[in-house]
Amino acid sequence: MTTPLFLLRCLQIGLSLDELDLLTIGMVTEIAIERANDEYDYCYIADQQTMDEF
């Protein structure tokens, strides 16, 4: 990932330059991954019964 692309992803997440001083590259990457997971349309979501059977 290039620096401009990294900064673009930070802006898309909503991070400011001041906040980037407090975060590592790994933390920003994890935030981006979690955001992508939140927007994913899962075809099946487990309920409590499924988890108990697991």
Side-chain angles (χ1 to χ4, degrees), residues 4-44:
L5 182 58
F6 178 78
L7 292 174
L8 174 64
R9 298 296 179 238
C10 291
L11 288 174
Q12 290 173 336
I13 293 170
L15 296 173
S16 68
L17 291 176
D18 292 333
E19 292 171 323
L20 287 179
D21 287 337
L22 305 173
L23 302 172
T24 65
I25 293 173
M27 292 168 78
V28 173
T29 303
E30 289 176 6
I31 292 169
I33 291 169
E34 288 300 321
R35 180 172 180 233
N37 287 343
D38 289 344
E39 295 174 356
Y40 186 77
D41 185 25
Y42 293 98
C43 60
Y44 177 76

